[in-house]
Amino acid sequence: MSAANVDSLVPADPWPLPRNPTVADHIVQRLACWGVRRYFGYPGDGINGMTSALQRTHQQTQFIQVRHEETAGFAASAHVKYGGGPLGAVLVTSGPGAIHALNGLYDAKLDHQPVVALVGHTALTAEGGGYYQEVDLLALYKDVAAAFLAQLDHPSQVRHLVDRACRTALARRTVTALVLPLDVQDEDAVPDPPHAHGFYHTSSVPSSGPTVPPEADVRHAAEVLRGGERVAMLVGQGAIGAENEVREIAHRLGAGVATALLGFTVVDHREPWVTGAIGLLGTRPSWQLMRECDRLLIVGSNMPYSEFYPPPGQARAVQIDHDGTQLGLRYPTEVNLTGDAAPTLRALLSELGPGPGPTRWRQTIAGATAAWRQAQRQLAEQDADPVNPQRLFASLSERLPDNVMLAVDCGTTTAWYARHVKVRPGMLASLSGTLLSMGGGMPYALAAKLAHPDRPLIALIGDGAMQMNGVNELITVAKYWRDWADPRFVVLVLNNRDLAFVSWEQRSTEGTPMFPDSQQLPDIAYHRWAEVLGLRGDLVDHPDQVNDAWDRALQADRPTVINALVDPAELMMPPHFTADQVRKTAAAMLRGDTDWAGIVRRGLPTMVTTYRPRRA
């Protein structure tokens, strides 16, 4: 996300402290100075002082009670991604609560989202005595909160510890953490530390971010890019907020644009020069774009699959990122520009001069992209047993409301989302992009809906992730949905009774068949569970039901769960399928894969449709 999201100043002291305030009161008020008004968490006796303070300020703050602390971490990350505020906040209790939160916090860290974790702890008087739930939290959080981690041991520390935790999280776009011993939370606050040795008086005004690189560097980048005849662009989440500039510079350079999944909303995926996702789940046009380009401009992306970049030496490259430490890590770039995407691209535009106009390169990109999209439509229309999962995503893409928000879990849902859903300007979409953790889809959906209760939300989730935490967080949906101005909260569950992504990885990389003991899942009536909770449920077990199911869900007066029974043998074909992958998949079948008949049934038409030469 563009650093511009956090640059606006927020007023100091948003409300006066109560008479006789506690340390916890002071923490909550000081965090509000940084824009923190919503906390995701689960209560426990290790944070009783904090939850009491939130109860006293319930008119100004909101505590979102999720079903598990892992959800709190994911939701705090997504809170920032979907524009709910400049900072995400997690509030969890000591011991088990702190441990549970880690996975969601790592999602924030790896996707560079500013989140502050507030973690309860054993009372100072009991520390070191083997007390109940006593865990070495400073050791436990040393990695996830490496940028800033501290324990609050004295009331006079509140001001400078909160300020530093928030400033560091925003400036470095990462996770920071404060460990809060139980007894300290209820001590008398010290809002104004003494003007004396050993005390600090800090500021709650956010720091300005990097803006535009030096003019000489921008000019050098323009010289490199201007000489290209076949320019490719790769955009990631760092380009969010620079949509107009990305479009303009793509036209100016006559470039094709591929997107990392976290940068999906930067461009209009209906455009002929947008090749779509890149990487293992990406498109063939994006693969071709990188294989044939002679110039590469990377904007706000750190996509790690090196084999999907141009071969080293083929393309001269320029990279833009607001974090200079992320530059030149994936490709031997010639010019590295440290700056925010939008102003840096505007500066680059002023140096580039007029564009080349229509080019053969753009025509090649448009032809390859049109052919790919046609092939994907044909794949989605093919019969499967019982329902082709790709049909669900193709049908959804045609029905997306203009202001929709999409939350995507990791697994086969990610593949079909990347291939079929044409995101348009004005939409919001995200997922656990770097940690690639299952179980992120429902927490992301909750955070998005809480940030924008007046917008429709669609969560795309596999049955593995749904069983992991989705069925539980539906209870959270049932708890809050009546407060939303727009009640549409649609959960699509791809029910194939198989951890299908893992099964395909085993086949293609290990040459081993699907291992039922490891990957088969119970067949759950997810739509019935929704009905038990007072939500809508819809079963889709025939392809003719797909369109109507989406139409009903998008017109419903309450959240809906679509339980779609889909074919576990549907192949996820990478944009470039190697001979080694073919050999190992065949070996898995010969070794008795339980899905061998389905693989044969779906494999040949999928291969032919995906890889045969075709005209646009």
Side-chain angles (χ1 to χ4, degrees), residues 229-233 250 253-258 271-276 283-286 288-290 292-293 295 359-373 616:
E229 296 181 355
R230 301 182 307 279
V231 182
M233 291 178 63
L253 294 170
V257 179
E271 294 284 2
W273 45 271
V274 174
T275 60
T283 71
R284 192 163 179 81
S286 290
Q288 294 171 328
L289 182 74
M290 295 297 163
E292 299 173 12
C293 69
R295 297 291 188 276
T359 64
R360 185 181 298 274
W361 173 240
R362 271 256 170 133
Q363 293 171 0
T364 300
I365 294 166
T369 301
W372 169 264
R373 292 172 180 170

Short mmCIF file of all heavy atoms in Angstrom, two decimals, residues 229-233 250 253-258 271-276 283-286 288-290 292-293 295 359-373 616:
data_model
loop_
_atom_site.label_atom_id
_atom_site.label_comp_id
_atom_site.label_asym_id
_atom_site.label_seq_id
_atom_site.Cartn_x
_atom_site.Cartn_y
_atom_site.Cartn_z
N GLU A 229 12.23 -1.23 -26.69
CA GLU A 229 11.21 -1.49 -27.70
C GLU A 229 10.14 -2.45 -27.19
O GLU A 229 9.05 -2.50 -27.73
CB GLU A 229 11.85 -2.07 -28.96
CG GLU A 229 12.82 -1.11 -29.65
CD GLU A 229 13.42 -1.72 -30.90
OE1 GLU A 229 13.15 -2.92 -31.17
OE2 GLU A 229 14.13 -1.01 -31.62
N ARG A 230 10.49 -3.21 -26.15
CA ARG A 230 9.56 -4.20 -25.59
C ARG A 230 9.62 -4.07 -24.07
O ARG A 230 10.37 -4.77 -23.39
CB ARG A 230 9.94 -5.62 -26.03
CG ARG A 230 9.96 -5.81 -27.54
CD ARG A 230 10.29 -7.25 -27.94
NE ARG A 230 11.53 -7.73 -27.34
CZ ARG A 230 12.75 -7.46 -27.79
NH1 ARG A 230 12.90 -6.69 -28.87
NH2 ARG A 230 13.82 -7.94 -27.19
N VAL A 231 8.81 -3.15 -23.54
CA VAL A 231 8.86 -2.82 -22.12
C VAL A 231 7.82 -3.62 -21.35
O VAL A 231 6.66 -3.73 -21.77
CB VAL A 231 8.65 -1.31 -21.89
CG1 VAL A 231 8.77 -0.98 -20.40
CG2 VAL A 231 9.64 -0.51 -22.70
N ALA A 232 8.25 -4.18 -20.24
CA ALA A 232 7.35 -4.88 -19.32
C ALA A 232 7.33 -4.15 -17.99
O ALA A 232 8.35 -3.60 -17.56
CB ALA A 232 7.80 -6.33 -19.11
N MET A 233 6.19 -4.16 -17.32
CA MET A 233 6.06 -3.63 -15.98
C MET A 233 5.55 -4.72 -15.06
O MET A 233 4.70 -5.54 -15.45
CB MET A 233 5.12 -2.43 -15.95
CG MET A 233 5.65 -1.19 -16.65
SD MET A 233 4.44 0.19 -16.63
CE MET A 233 4.29 0.49 -14.86
N ALA A 250 2.47 3.25 -18.27
CA ALA A 250 2.36 2.09 -19.15
C ALA A 250 2.05 2.53 -20.58
O ALA A 250 2.63 2.00 -21.54
CB ALA A 250 1.27 1.14 -18.64
N LEU A 253 5.21 4.25 -22.13
CA LEU A 253 6.26 3.31 -22.51
C LEU A 253 5.78 2.25 -23.49
O LEU A 253 6.59 1.46 -23.99
CB LEU A 253 6.81 2.60 -21.26
CG LEU A 253 7.56 3.48 -20.25
CD1 LEU A 253 7.83 2.69 -18.97
CD2 LEU A 253 8.88 3.97 -20.86
N GLY A 254 4.47 2.21 -23.76
CA GLY A 254 3.94 1.15 -24.60
C GLY A 254 4.14 -0.21 -23.96
O GLY A 254 4.42 -1.21 -24.64
N ALA A 255 3.98 -0.27 -22.63
CA ALA A 255 4.34 -1.46 -21.87
C ALA A 255 3.14 -2.38 -21.65
O ALA A 255 1.99 -1.95 -21.66
CB ALA A 255 4.91 -1.06 -20.52
N GLY A 256 3.47 -3.65 -21.44
CA GLY A 256 2.52 -4.59 -20.88
C GLY A 256 2.72 -4.64 -19.38
O GLY A 256 3.84 -4.45 -18.89
N VAL A 257 1.65 -4.89 -18.62
CA VAL A 257 1.72 -4.85 -17.17
C VAL A 257 1.27 -6.18 -16.58
O VAL A 257 0.14 -6.62 -16.80
CB VAL A 257 0.86 -3.71 -16.59
CG1 VAL A 257 0.92 -3.71 -15.07
CG2 VAL A 257 1.33 -2.37 -17.13
N ALA A 258 2.17 -6.81 -15.82
CA ALA A 258 1.85 -7.98 -15.02
C ALA A 258 1.74 -7.56 -13.57
O ALA A 258 2.37 -6.58 -13.15
CB ALA A 258 2.93 -9.06 -15.19
N GLU A 271 -8.23 -4.47 -19.39
CA GLU A 271 -7.42 -3.81 -20.42
C GLU A 271 -6.60 -4.84 -21.21
O GLU A 271 -6.08 -5.80 -20.65
CB GLU A 271 -6.48 -2.79 -19.78
CG GLU A 271 -7.17 -1.61 -19.13
CD GLU A 271 -7.67 -0.60 -20.16
OE1 GLU A 271 -7.49 -0.84 -21.38
OE2 GLU A 271 -8.21 0.44 -19.74
N PRO A 272 -6.43 -4.62 -22.52
CA PRO A 272 -5.69 -5.59 -23.33
C PRO A 272 -4.20 -5.62 -23.01
O PRO A 272 -3.53 -6.62 -23.31
CB PRO A 272 -5.94 -5.10 -24.77
CG PRO A 272 -6.28 -3.65 -24.63
CD PRO A 272 -7.02 -3.54 -23.33
N TRP A 273 -3.66 -4.58 -22.40
CA TRP A 273 -2.22 -4.53 -22.08
C TRP A 273 -1.93 -5.02 -20.66
O TRP A 273 -0.78 -5.05 -20.25
CB TRP A 273 -1.68 -3.11 -22.26
CG TRP A 273 -2.55 -2.04 -21.68
CD1 TRP A 273 -3.57 -1.38 -22.31
CD2 TRP A 273 -2.51 -1.52 -20.34
NE1 TRP A 273 -4.16 -0.47 -21.44
CE2 TRP A 273 -3.52 -0.52 -20.24
CE3 TRP A 273 -1.70 -1.78 -19.23
CZ2 TRP A 273 -3.75 0.18 -19.07
CZ3 TRP A 273 -1.93 -1.07 -18.06
CH2 TRP A 273 -2.94 -0.10 -18.00
N VAL A 274 -2.96 -5.43 -19.93
CA VAL A 274 -2.79 -6.01 -18.59
C VAL A 274 -2.79 -7.52 -18.73
O VAL A 274 -3.81 -8.13 -19.06
CB VAL A 274 -3.89 -5.54 -17.64
CG1 VAL A 274 -3.78 -6.25 -16.29
CG2 VAL A 274 -3.82 -4.03 -17.44
N THR A 275 -1.64 -8.14 -18.48
CA THR A 275 -1.51 -9.59 -18.68
C THR A 275 -1.94 -10.38 -17.47
O THR A 275 -2.06 -11.60 -17.53
CB THR A 275 -0.06 -9.95 -19.05
OG1 THR A 275 0.81 -9.53 -17.97
CG2 THR A 275 0.37 -9.26 -20.34
N GLY A 276 -2.15 -9.72 -16.33
CA GLY A 276 -2.65 -10.39 -15.14
C GLY A 276 -1.56 -10.88 -14.22
O GLY A 276 -0.44 -10.36 -14.20
N THR A 283 -0.52 -16.03 -15.32
CA THR A 283 -1.02 -16.28 -16.66
C THR A 283 0.12 -16.55 -17.63
O THR A 283 1.27 -16.15 -17.40
CB THR A 283 -1.82 -15.07 -17.17
OG1 THR A 283 -0.90 -13.99 -17.44
CG2 THR A 283 -2.85 -14.61 -16.15
N ARG A 284 -0.22 -17.18 -18.72
CA ARG A 284 0.78 -17.40 -19.76
C ARG A 284 1.24 -16.09 -20.42
O ARG A 284 2.42 -15.92 -20.70
CB ARG A 284 0.25 -18.38 -20.81
CG ARG A 284 1.33 -18.89 -21.77
CD ARG A 284 0.86 -20.14 -22.50
NE ARG A 284 1.89 -20.60 -23.43
CZ ARG A 284 2.94 -21.33 -23.07
NH1 ARG A 284 3.12 -21.64 -21.81
NH2 ARG A 284 3.80 -21.72 -23.98
N PRO A 285 0.34 -15.12 -20.66
CA PRO A 285 0.82 -13.84 -21.20
C PRO A 285 1.83 -13.14 -20.29
O PRO A 285 2.76 -12.49 -20.78
CB PRO A 285 -0.46 -13.01 -21.35
CG PRO A 285 -1.53 -14.02 -21.52
CD PRO A 285 -1.14 -15.18 -20.67
N SER A 286 1.66 -13.25 -18.96
CA SER A 286 2.65 -12.65 -18.06
C SER A 286 3.99 -13.36 -18.19
O SER A 286 5.06 -12.72 -18.14
CB SER A 286 2.15 -12.71 -16.61
OG SER A 286 1.07 -11.84 -16.41
N GLN A 288 5.08 -14.84 -20.94
CA GLN A 288 5.62 -14.42 -22.23
C GLN A 288 6.15 -12.99 -22.16
O GLN A 288 7.18 -12.67 -22.77
CB GLN A 288 4.55 -14.55 -23.31
CG GLN A 288 4.14 -16.00 -23.58
CD GLN A 288 2.93 -16.10 -24.49
OE1 GLN A 288 2.05 -15.23 -24.49
NE2 GLN A 288 2.87 -17.18 -25.27
N LEU A 289 5.44 -12.14 -21.43
CA LEU A 289 5.86 -10.75 -21.29
C LEU A 289 7.28 -10.67 -20.74
O LEU A 289 8.11 -9.91 -21.24
CB LEU A 289 4.88 -10.03 -20.35
CG LEU A 289 5.11 -8.54 -20.09
CD1 LEU A 289 4.70 -7.73 -21.31
CD2 LEU A 289 4.32 -8.09 -18.86
N MET A 290 7.56 -11.47 -19.71
CA MET A 290 8.88 -11.45 -19.09
C MET A 290 9.93 -12.16 -19.95
O MET A 290 11.10 -11.77 -19.95
CB MET A 290 8.82 -12.08 -17.71
CG MET A 290 7.96 -11.31 -16.72
SD MET A 290 8.62 -9.65 -16.41
CE MET A 290 7.19 -8.85 -15.69
N GLU A 292 10.13 -12.11 -23.15
CA GLU A 292 10.40 -11.43 -24.42
C GLU A 292 10.74 -9.95 -24.27
O GLU A 292 11.10 -9.30 -25.25
CB GLU A 292 9.19 -11.58 -25.34
CG GLU A 292 8.87 -13.03 -25.70
CD GLU A 292 7.58 -13.18 -26.48
OE1 GLU A 292 7.05 -12.14 -26.94
OE2 GLU A 292 7.10 -14.33 -26.62
N CYS A 293 10.67 -9.38 -23.06
CA CYS A 293 10.88 -7.94 -22.91
C CYS A 293 12.37 -7.60 -22.98
O CYS A 293 13.24 -8.42 -22.73
CB CYS A 293 10.29 -7.46 -21.58
SG CYS A 293 11.18 -8.06 -20.11
N ARG A 295 13.12 -4.31 -21.60
CA ARG A 295 13.17 -3.38 -20.48
C ARG A 295 12.16 -3.84 -19.44
O ARG A 295 11.10 -4.36 -19.78
CB ARG A 295 12.83 -1.94 -20.90
CG ARG A 295 13.79 -1.31 -21.89
CD ARG A 295 15.16 -1.05 -21.28
NE ARG A 295 16.00 -0.27 -22.17
CZ ARG A 295 16.73 -0.78 -23.17
NH1 ARG A 295 16.69 -2.09 -23.41
NH2 ARG A 295 17.48 0.00 -23.92
N THR A 359 2.28 0.32 -30.94
CA THR A 359 3.48 -0.44 -31.31
C THR A 359 3.12 -1.90 -31.58
O THR A 359 2.09 -2.41 -31.13
CB THR A 359 4.52 -0.39 -30.19
OG1 THR A 359 3.99 -1.04 -29.03
CG2 THR A 359 4.90 1.04 -29.84
N ARG A 360 4.01 -2.56 -32.31
CA ARG A 360 3.84 -3.99 -32.56
C ARG A 360 3.89 -4.78 -31.24
O ARG A 360 3.20 -5.78 -31.08
CB ARG A 360 4.92 -4.48 -33.51
CG ARG A 360 4.76 -5.93 -33.93
CD ARG A 360 5.89 -6.35 -34.87
NE ARG A 360 5.87 -5.57 -36.10
CZ ARG A 360 5.13 -5.87 -37.16
NH1 ARG A 360 4.33 -6.94 -37.12
NH2 ARG A 360 5.17 -5.14 -38.24
N TRP A 361 4.71 -4.29 -30.29
CA TRP A 361 4.83 -4.96 -28.99
C TRP A 361 3.49 -4.97 -28.26
O TRP A 361 3.06 -6.00 -27.74
CB TRP A 361 5.89 -4.25 -28.17
CG TRP A 361 6.07 -4.68 -26.74
CD1 TRP A 361 5.92 -3.90 -25.63
CD2 TRP A 361 6.42 -5.99 -26.26
NE1 TRP A 361 6.18 -4.63 -24.49
CE2 TRP A 361 6.50 -5.91 -24.85
CE3 TRP A 361 6.70 -7.21 -26.88
CZ2 TRP A 361 6.82 -7.01 -24.05
CZ3 TRP A 361 7.02 -8.30 -26.09
CH2 TRP A 361 7.08 -8.19 -24.69
N ARG A 362 2.81 -3.84 -28.25
CA ARG A 362 1.50 -3.78 -27.59
C ARG A 362 0.49 -4.68 -28.30
O ARG A 362 -0.36 -5.32 -27.67
CB ARG A 362 1.00 -2.34 -27.55
CG ARG A 362 1.45 -1.55 -26.31
CD ARG A 362 0.27 -1.44 -25.37
NE ARG A 362 0.63 -0.91 -24.07
CZ ARG A 362 -0.03 0.06 -23.44
NH1 ARG A 362 -1.06 0.62 -24.01
NH2 ARG A 362 0.32 0.44 -22.24
N GLN A 363 0.58 -4.75 -29.62
CA GLN A 363 -0.32 -5.63 -30.36
C GLN A 363 -0.06 -7.09 -30.02
O GLN A 363 -0.99 -7.89 -29.87
CB GLN A 363 -0.13 -5.40 -31.87
CG GLN A 363 -0.59 -4.03 -32.34
CD GLN A 363 -0.21 -3.76 -33.79
OE1 GLN A 363 0.40 -4.60 -34.46
NE2 GLN A 363 -0.56 -2.57 -34.28
N THR A 364 1.23 -7.44 -29.85
CA THR A 364 1.58 -8.80 -29.46
C THR A 364 1.03 -9.14 -28.09
O THR A 364 0.47 -10.22 -27.86
CB THR A 364 3.12 -8.97 -29.47
OG1 THR A 364 3.61 -8.72 -30.78
CG2 THR A 364 3.52 -10.38 -29.02
N ILE A 365 1.18 -8.20 -27.16
CA ILE A 365 0.66 -8.40 -25.81
C ILE A 365 -0.85 -8.57 -25.84
O ILE A 365 -1.41 -9.48 -25.21
CB ILE A 365 1.04 -7.21 -24.91
CG1 ILE A 365 2.55 -7.15 -24.71
CG2 ILE A 365 0.33 -7.29 -23.56
CD1 ILE A 365 3.04 -5.85 -24.12
N ALA A 366 -1.53 -7.70 -26.57
CA ALA A 366 -3.00 -7.75 -26.63
C ALA A 366 -3.47 -9.07 -27.24
O ALA A 366 -4.44 -9.67 -26.76
CB ALA A 366 -3.53 -6.57 -27.44
N GLY A 367 -2.78 -9.55 -28.27
CA GLY A 367 -3.17 -10.81 -28.88
C GLY A 367 -2.99 -11.98 -27.95
O GLY A 367 -3.87 -12.86 -27.84
N ALA A 368 -1.85 -12.03 -27.25
CA ALA A 368 -1.60 -13.13 -26.32
C ALA A 368 -2.59 -13.09 -25.16
O ALA A 368 -3.08 -14.14 -24.71
CB ALA A 368 -0.17 -13.05 -25.80
N THR A 369 -2.90 -11.89 -24.69
CA THR A 369 -3.83 -11.75 -23.56
C THR A 369 -5.24 -12.15 -23.95
O THR A 369 -5.93 -12.86 -23.21
CB THR A 369 -3.80 -10.31 -23.03
OG1 THR A 369 -2.47 -9.98 -22.63
CG2 THR A 369 -4.73 -10.14 -21.85
N ALA A 370 -5.68 -11.74 -25.13
CA ALA A 370 -7.02 -12.10 -25.60
C ALA A 370 -7.15 -13.61 -25.78
O ALA A 370 -8.17 -14.21 -25.42
CB ALA A 370 -7.33 -11.37 -26.90
N ALA A 371 -6.11 -14.23 -26.33
CA ALA A 371 -6.14 -15.68 -26.53
C ALA A 371 -6.19 -16.42 -25.20
O ALA A 371 -6.92 -17.41 -25.05
CB ALA A 371 -4.92 -16.12 -27.34
N TRP A 372 -5.42 -15.94 -24.24
CA TRP A 372 -5.42 -16.56 -22.91
C TRP A 372 -6.80 -16.45 -22.26
O TRP A 372 -7.31 -17.42 -21.70
CB TRP A 372 -4.35 -15.91 -22.05
CG TRP A 372 -4.44 -16.28 -20.59
CD1 TRP A 372 -5.07 -15.57 -19.60
CD2 TRP A 372 -3.91 -17.45 -19.97
NE1 TRP A 372 -4.94 -16.23 -18.40
CE2 TRP A 372 -4.25 -17.38 -18.59
CE3 TRP A 372 -3.18 -18.55 -20.43
CZ2 TRP A 372 -3.87 -18.36 -17.68
CZ3 TRP A 372 -2.81 -19.52 -19.52
CH2 TRP A 372 -3.15 -19.44 -18.17
N ARG A 373 -7.38 -15.27 -22.31
CA ARG A 373 -8.69 -15.06 -21.69
C ARG A 373 -9.75 -15.94 -22.35
O ARG A 373 -10.62 -16.49 -21.67
CB ARG A 373 -9.08 -13.59 -21.76
CG ARG A 373 -8.21 -12.71 -20.88
CD ARG A 373 -8.49 -11.23 -21.11
NE ARG A 373 -7.63 -10.40 -20.26
CZ ARG A 373 -7.52 -9.07 -20.38
NH1 ARG A 373 -8.24 -8.43 -21.31
NH2 ARG A 373 -6.73 -8.39 -19.59
N ALA A 616 -5.97 -14.58 -31.43
CA ALA A 616 -6.87 -13.78 -30.60
C ALA A 616 -8.21 -13.61 -31.29
O ALA A 616 -8.29 -13.54 -32.50
CB ALA A 616 -6.24 -12.41 -30.35
#
